[in-house]
């Protein structure tokens, strides 16, 4: 009997359950999709390295899903609490008719079970089909062929079922607990309870609004000028921004009311005064939740934009960072801070030419080979006033002042050899002339300013003058980084470099024949190295990861990082977007119950349904737009701050990331807005 009653309630009140059901199904779908990576490798022609990346990404997503599950659990509990509040009067009638609370609890358990089962099945089915699309996208991102067939992830299915079953069990317990707390009078008078305004004095609202703008403005200013590298200010910046956001929504309603009341033509046009009063009461009473929504939207926009932008950066830098098929790096000297002098590395052969001869590489594998060297001059560090005075960003300037970073010195011959690898024409330098460039986006403007002023630079006790008008970025070797990650590189004529100059690094670069791939040559090279030299076991991994680099490895690593950033950004971004939209939707639907009598009065005094619908639309639209607009402003500043760090890897396509983020906002946020609008009208009609 109770199960039938629960089934009838679900059918009868399906419109009330719609937001709840959509949220559950969407959450299940998302959870399954992003936990099904493990099986994708079986339909894609992946290399061993790519397979490892997919498996690693799968583990990351599984770990991340624990956090996502917690967020979704709180979200579902919030949505469930809305349903309980909506049905208080109905539950009160059950109690009035003599039904014990444990039997009412049983009905709620059955209802939760039915909704949960339906949403779980629907979400898994939708997730299964969308995961096929995700597989195609993954194959495209990795640029590999796809042996198309349907992929079913048993692991992701079990993980999804277990996670959401646990959430539903918690909801069942929560409903029983909440029901036992309510008295009959509370249930029957539920529709007579209203939120109380937090601030009634309009001028107090104006004052608080001004304070909020000051807090947010200070956070913006410090964030932009100090950046993320100023760790000691990060806490105060976040705190000021958060407090400013809370105060903003606490005071916004009163501030808007003051402004609009002074504009009589606008305020008294149509039903604007009614709408303003509705929004004033709603925002003033729900300021805290709107602040939370705003911060979650900031996290959503930030995750989506930064994830896509970082992916774009990595994809753009792949070609630049791989001028050769293969690079073996021989680290020669490092700076010993305690001794205040350069010292030798002991983890690799000290003569790269001898090392290459000793390991007896098969000449049929090598099409061409070169050796490049970088040198250091103790007196030529990045903290030199010549360089420091032209750095605009304070965080980088402070870094230069506090760290001993050396300007890399390269011979003209080695530099022109590198340019040749990129298909560039060689440059010419006269005696005591130099060429200055950087691969580090954060200091490029400073380097260009140095170039424009043509300063003289002392190197190896000789004066040289920078003569280039501009520069082209060049990497001397193949690397996973964005080319040579040194801040500045000075190219000088070969004759200026003394015979006893301190060699920082040596790079043996090779382009290979068709007989062997870079990936296979890397294995072959390491085997030959380990056979020839007695390499201690404890530095095997160090050698493998830092000394040896092939184009295939760089390409696959970059693609792997690109996919990882993309999917993590999308996963978290969508979760926070859904959470934000659900909270706003449920608050508006709750307000619909409370506002039913007010709209009924409007109808009785002759307001037509078209104008009422327009009023409802504007009320909901403003309520949805307010936290979104502030979140967009926050994110513009926040993304700029993050980009100041990300540019060390290169410049991405901000337009693409912004367009993608806007699409997600329209799709998810817009969908919940539409469902809320329809649900609001249905509640008023009921």
């Amino acid at each position: 009997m109770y199960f039938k009653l629960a089934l009838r309630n679900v059918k009868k009140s399906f419109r009330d359950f719609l937001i709840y059901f959509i949220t559950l199904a969407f959450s299940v779908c998302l959870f399954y999709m992003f936990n099904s990576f493990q099986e994708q490798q079986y339909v894609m022609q992946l290399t061993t390295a790519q397979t490892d990346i997919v498996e690693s990404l799968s583990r990351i997503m599984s770990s991340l899903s624990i956090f996502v599950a917690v967020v979704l659990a709180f979200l579902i509990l919030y949505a469930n609490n809305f349903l309980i509040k909506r049905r208080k009067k109905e539950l009160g009638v059950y109690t009035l008719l003599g039904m014990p609370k444990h039997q009412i609890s049983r009905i709620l358990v059955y209802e939760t079970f039915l909704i949960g089962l339906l949403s779980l099945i629907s979400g898994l089915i939708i997730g299964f089909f969308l995961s096929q699309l995700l597989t195609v996208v993954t194959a495209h991102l990795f640029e590999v062929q796809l042996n198309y067939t349907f992929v079913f992830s048993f692991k992701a299915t079990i993980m999804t079922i277990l996670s959401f079953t646990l959430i539903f069990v918690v909801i069942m317990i929560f409903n029983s607990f909440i029901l036992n707390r309510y008295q009959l009078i509370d249930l029957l008078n539920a529709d007579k309870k209203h939120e109380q305004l937090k601030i009634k004095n309009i001028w107090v609202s104006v004052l608080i609004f001004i304070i909020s703008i000051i807090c947010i403005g200070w956070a913006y200013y410090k964030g932009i000028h100090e950046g993320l590298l100023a760790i000691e200010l990060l806490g105060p910046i976040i705190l000021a921004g958060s407090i400013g956001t809370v105060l903003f929504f606490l005071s916004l309603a009163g501030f808007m009311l003051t402004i609009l009341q002074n504009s009589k033509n606008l305020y008294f046009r149509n039903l604007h005064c009614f709408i303003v009063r509705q929004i004033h009461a709603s925002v003033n009473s729900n300021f805290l939740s709107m602040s939370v929504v705003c911060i979650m939207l900031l996290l959503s926009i930030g995750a989506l934009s930064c994830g896509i932008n970082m992916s774009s950066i990595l994809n753009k830098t792949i070609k630049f960072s791989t001028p050769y098929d293969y690079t073996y790096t021989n680290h020669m000297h490092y700076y010993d801070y305690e001794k205040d002098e350069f010292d030798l590395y002991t983890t690799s052969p000290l003569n790269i030419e001898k090392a290459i001869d000793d390991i007896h590489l098969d000449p049929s594998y090598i099409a061409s080979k070169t050796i490049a060297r970088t040198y250091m001059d103790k007196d030529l560090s990045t903290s030199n006033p010549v360089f420091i005075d032209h750095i605009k960003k304070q965080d980088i300037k402070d870094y230069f002042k506090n760290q001993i970073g050396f300007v890399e010195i390269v011979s003209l011959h080695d530099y022109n050899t590198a340019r040749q690898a990129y298909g560039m024409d060689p440059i010419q330098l006269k005696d005591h002339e130099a060429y200055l460039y950087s691969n580090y986006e954060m200091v490029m403007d400073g380097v260009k300013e140095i170039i424009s002023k043509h300063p003289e630079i002392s190197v190896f006790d000789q004066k040289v003058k920078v003569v280039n008008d501009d520069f082209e970025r060049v990497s001397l070797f193949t690397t996973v980084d964005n080319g040579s990650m040194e801040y500045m590189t000075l190219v000088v004529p070969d004759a200026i470099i003394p015979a006893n100059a301190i060699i920082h690094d040596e790079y043996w670069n090779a382009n290979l024949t068709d007989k062997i791939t870079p990936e296979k040559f890397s294995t072959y090279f390491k085997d030959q190295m380990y056979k020839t030299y007695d390499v201690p076991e404890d530095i095997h991994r160090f050698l493998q990861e830092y000394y040896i680099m092939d184009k295939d490895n760089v390409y696959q690593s970059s693609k792997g990082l690109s996919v990882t950033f993309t999917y993590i950004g999308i996963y978290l971004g969508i979760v926070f977007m859904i959470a934000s939209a659900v909270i706003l939707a449920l608050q508006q639907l709750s307000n619909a119950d409370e506002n039913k009598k007010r709209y009924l009065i409007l109808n009785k005094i002759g307001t037509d349904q078209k104008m009422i619908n327009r009023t409802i639309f504007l009320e909901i639209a403003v309520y949805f737009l307010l936290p979104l607009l502030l979140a967009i402003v926050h994110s513009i500043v926040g993304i700029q701050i993050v980009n100041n760090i990300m540019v060390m890897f290169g410049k991405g396509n901000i337009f693409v990331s912004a367009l993608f983020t806007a699409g997600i906002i329209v799709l998810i946020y817009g969908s919940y807005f539409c469902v809320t609008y329809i649900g609001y009208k249905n509640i008023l009609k009921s």
Side-chain angles (χ1 to χ4, degrees):
M1 179 185 75
Y2 297 112
F3 185 82
K4 289 183 179 179
L5 182 60
L7 182 61
R8 189 185 68 183
N9 287 342
V10 172
K11 290 180 179 178
K12 181 183 70 175
S13 306
F14 185 75
R15 287 185 300 184
D16 292 340
F17 285 103
L18 187 58
I19 289 283
Y20 187 51
F21 172 76
I22 291 175
T23 302
L24 283 173
F26 211 159
S27 300
V28 171
C29 170
L30 197 67
F31 202 85
Y32 173 85
M33 282 177 59
F34 285 96
N35 284 279
S36 63
F37 281 99
Q38 191 72 32
E39 279 69 26
Q40 294 185 9
Q41 60 181 297
Y42 302 119
V43 296
M44 293 185 289
Q45 296 181 5
L46 301 176
T47 63
T48 302
Q50 289 171 332
T51 301
D52 292 340
I53 291 170
V54 171
E55 291 177 350
S56 178
L57 182 58
S58 179
R59 288 192 294 271
I60 292 172
M61 287 299 175
S62 297
S63 301
L64 192 62
S65 291
I66 298 173
F67 168 74
V68 171
V70 173
V71 174
L72 292 176
F74 279 105
L75 181 63
I76 294 168
L77 279 171
Y78 186 88
N80 175 79
N81 190 48
F82 159 75
L83 287 177
I84 296 296
K85 288 173 66 176
R86 283 271 295 144
R87 301 179 63 199
K88 278 184 180 180
K89 196 167 185 176
E90 177 191 339
L91 300 177
V93 172
Y94 288 152
T95 305
L96 193 64
L97 294 173
M99 185 178 291
K101 285 188 176 181
H102 72 273
Q103 292 180 351
I104 300 175
S105 296
R106 187 186 298 181
I107 294 173
L108 292 177
V109 167
Y110 287 147
E111 290 177 1
T112 303
F113 172 77
L114 288 169
I115 293 293
L117 183 63
L118 185 60
S119 60
L120 191 60
I121 294 172
S122 303
L124 284 173
I125 293 173
I126 298 171
F128 169 74
F129 285 104
L130 289 182
S131 66
Q132 312 309 310
L133 176 63
L134 195 66
T135 302
V136 176
V137 173
T138 305
H140 175 73
L141 292 174
F142 275 114
E143 298 182 5
V144 297
Q145 290 186 344
L146 180 67
N147 301 320
Y148 187 76
T149 182
F150 281 107
V151 180
F152 175 75
S153 177
F154 181 76
K155 180 182 176 183
T157 302
I158 296 298
M159 188 175 177
T160 304
I161 291 173
L162 290 176
S163 298
F164 281 87
T165 298
L166 180 61
I167 293 173
F168 295 145
V169 170
V170 172
I171 290 172
M172 293 174 186
I173 297 171
F174 176 81
N175 287 344
S176 299
F177 175 76
I178 291 295
L179 185 63
N180 289 325
R181 285 185 59 191
Y182 286 131
Q183 301 297 321
L184 177 60
I185 190 68
D186 297 323
L187 295 172
L188 294 176
N189 293 327
D191 59 342
K192 298 180 181 179
K193 293 186 177 182
H194 302 277
E195 294 281 354
Q196 298 295 317
L197 297 181
K198 301 299 185 293
I199 302 179
K200 297 181 180 180
N201 191 308
I202 290 178
W203 291 108
V204 173
S205 295
V206 173
L207 178 61
I208 295 175
F209 183 82
I210 295 171
I211 295 172
S212 74
I213 297 301
I214 293 172
C215 289
I216 294 172
W218 182 87
Y220 287 174
Y221 177 81
K222 287 295 182 181
I224 293 172
H225 285 81
E226 300 295 338
L228 293 179
L229 295 181
I231 304 297
E232 68 279 357
L233 284 176
L234 192 58
I237 290 172
I238 294 174
L239 181 62
S242 300
I243 292 173
T245 300
V246 173
L247 294 179
F248 179 86
F249 287 107
L250 175 63
S251 60
L252 179 64
F255 181 80
M256 288 176 58
L257 186 62
T258 303
I259 298 296
L260 291 172
Q261 282 181 334
N262 290 326
S263 179
K264 305 296 183 183
N265 293 333
L266 181 63
Y267 185 69
F268 292 106
R269 184 183 301 170
N270 298 325
L271 294 176
H272 288 179
C273 59
F274 177 82
I275 297 172
V276 170
R277 288 290 179 178
Q278 288 283 93
I279 295 172
H280 176 268
S282 186
V283 174
N284 206 342
S285 59
N286 295 308
F287 75 95
L288 192 58
S289 59
M290 292 192 74
S291 302
V292 172
V293 166
C294 179
I295 293 171
M296 286 197 298
L297 284 171
L298 167 62
L299 294 174
S300 174
I301 295 171
L304 288 166
S305 299
C306 292
I308 300 298
N309 195 37
M310 191 64 191
S311 174
S312 172
I313 289 172
L314 291 170
N315 286 331
K316 285 175 64 176
T317 59
I318 290 176
K319 185 177 181 180
F320 172 76
S321 60
T322 55
Y324 303 99
D325 290 337
Y326 190 83
T327 292
Y328 168 65
T329 301
N330 186 33
H331 298 295
M332 293 288 292
H333 292 87
Y334 68 97
Y335 185 79
D336 191 320
Y337 289 86
E338 294 183 359
K339 297 180 181 179
D340 189 27
E341 63 183 26
F342 294 108
D343 206 350
L344 288 169
Y345 281 102
T346 58
T347 53
S348 64
L350 296 181
N351 188 302
I352 198 167
E353 293 171 292
K354 183 177 184 303
I356 297 298
D357 289 339
D358 287 347
I359 62 178
H360 301 295
L361 297 174
D362 189 336
S364 66
Y365 293 157
I366 302 170
S368 62
K369 57 185 178 181
T370 61
I371 293 177
R373 294 179 176 87
T374 60
Y375 303 87
M376 292 185 295
D377 184 355
K378 190 176 180 180
D379 296 326
L380 194 64
S381 70
T382 52
S383 59
N384 190 303
V386 171
F387 305 107
I388 215 63
D389 292 346
H390 296 87
I391 303 301
K392 303 300 183 184
K393 297 184 183 297
Q394 189 61 45
D395 50 358
I396 301 300
K397 188 187 288 280
D398 292 340
Y399 180 84
F400 280 174
K401 287 180 179 178
N402 299 321
Q403 299 290 327
I404 300 178
F406 293 94
V407 176
E408 295 230 78
I409 303 165
V410 178
S411 71
L412 180 61
H413 173 270
D414 289 351
Y415 178 72
N416 280 332
T417 301
R419 288 179 64 90
Q420 187 179 358
Y422 288 96
M424 301 177 183
D425 295 328
I427 65 169
Q428 303 295 325
L429 292 176
K430 297 178 181 178
D431 294 341
H432 301 288
E433 290 184 342
Y435 188 99
L436 184 67
Y437 75 98
S438 174
N439 289 327
Y440 200 76
E441 292 280 355
M442 299 180 77
V443 299
M444 280 187 179
D445 290 340
V447 174
K448 290 178 180 179
E449 187 173 333
I450 295 171
I451 292 171
S452 67
K453 295 186 177 181
H454 299 282
E456 284 193 341
I457 299 174
S458 180
V459 55
F460 298 127
D461 297 323
Q462 297 188 57
K463 295 287 186 180
V464 295
K465 188 176 182 179
V466 177
V467 295
N468 51 305
D469 297 324
D470 204 343
F471 62 84
E472 296 171 294
R473 298 166 63 212
V474 170
S475 179
L476 300 176
F477 55 98
T478 289
T479 172
V480 293
D481 297 323
N482 185 21
S484 175
M485 289 303 293
E486 296 298 326
Y487 294 102
M488 297 180 195
T489 301
L490 187 69
V491 183
V492 298
D494 296 20
I496 288 181
I497 301 175
N500 61 346
I502 301 294
I503 301 175
H504 184 209
D505 290 321
E506 293 181 317
Y507 307 103
W508 183 79
N509 302 307
N511 287 316
L512 308 176
T513 64
D514 296 336
K515 289 188 175 182
I516 195 168
T517 64
E519 187 178 29
K520 290 182 178 179
F521 184 82
S522 182
T523 302
Y524 165 74
F525 187 97
K526 282 181 283 189
D527 288 342
Q528 293 295 109
M529 181 67 72
Y530 295 147
K531 287 178 184 177
T532 306
Y533 291 96
D534 185 19
V535 182
E537 197 64 34
D538 60 343
I539 65 168
H540 268 221
R541 186 181 174 202
F542 182 79
L543 278 170
Q544 184 173 345
E545 292 183 352
Y546 296 99
Y547 280 54
I548 296 171
M549 194 63 61
D550 63 86
K551 181 181 287 189
D552 288 351
N553 178 271
V554 172
Y555 192 86
Q556 291 161 10
S557 297
S558 296
K559 284 293 180 182
L561 282 174
S562 173
V563 174
T564 301
F565 277 111
T566 299
Y567 284 164
I568 289 176
I570 293 174
Y571 195 17
L572 292 178
I574 291 178
V575 167
F576 284 121
M577 185 69 66
I578 292 173
S580 305
V582 168
I583 292 173
L584 293 177
L586 295 179
Q587 285 179 347
Q588 281 297 290
L589 294 176
S590 296
N591 291 339
D593 275 328
E594 298 177 0
N595 297 330
K596 189 183 291 186
K597 292 181 180 179
R598 298 174 186 173
Y599 279 98
L600 183 61
I601 293 172
L602 286 179
N603 186 264
K604 287 183 177 180
I605 63 175
T607 308
D608 60 47
Q609 191 61 44
K610 184 178 179 181
M611 184 170 288
I612 289 177
N613 289 342
R614 182 173 175 271
T615 302
I616 295 170
F617 182 88
L618 288 174
E619 180 182 341
I620 298 173
V622 172
Y623 198 77
F624 268 71
L625 282 174
L626 285 176
L628 177 61
L629 291 175
L630 183 59
I632 290 174
V633 176
H634 283 349
S635 63
I636 290 172
V637 177
I639 291 170
Q640 181 181 342
I641 296 170
V642 174
N643 280 343
N644 288 338
I645 302 299
M646 292 172 61
V647 292
M648 69 173 62
F649 302 102
K651 290 185 178 180
N653 194 328
I654 298 177
F655 176 76
V656 172
S657 61
L659 190 64
F660 181 84
T661 303
I664 294 293
I665 292 173
V666 171
L667 178 64
I668 297 176
Y669 208 70
S671 297
Y672 273 97
F673 168 79
C674 293
V675 173
T676 304
Y677 174 63
I678 295 170
Y680 199 111
K681 291 195 298 180
N682 289 332
I683 291 173
L684 295 182
K685 291 177 182 178
S686 62

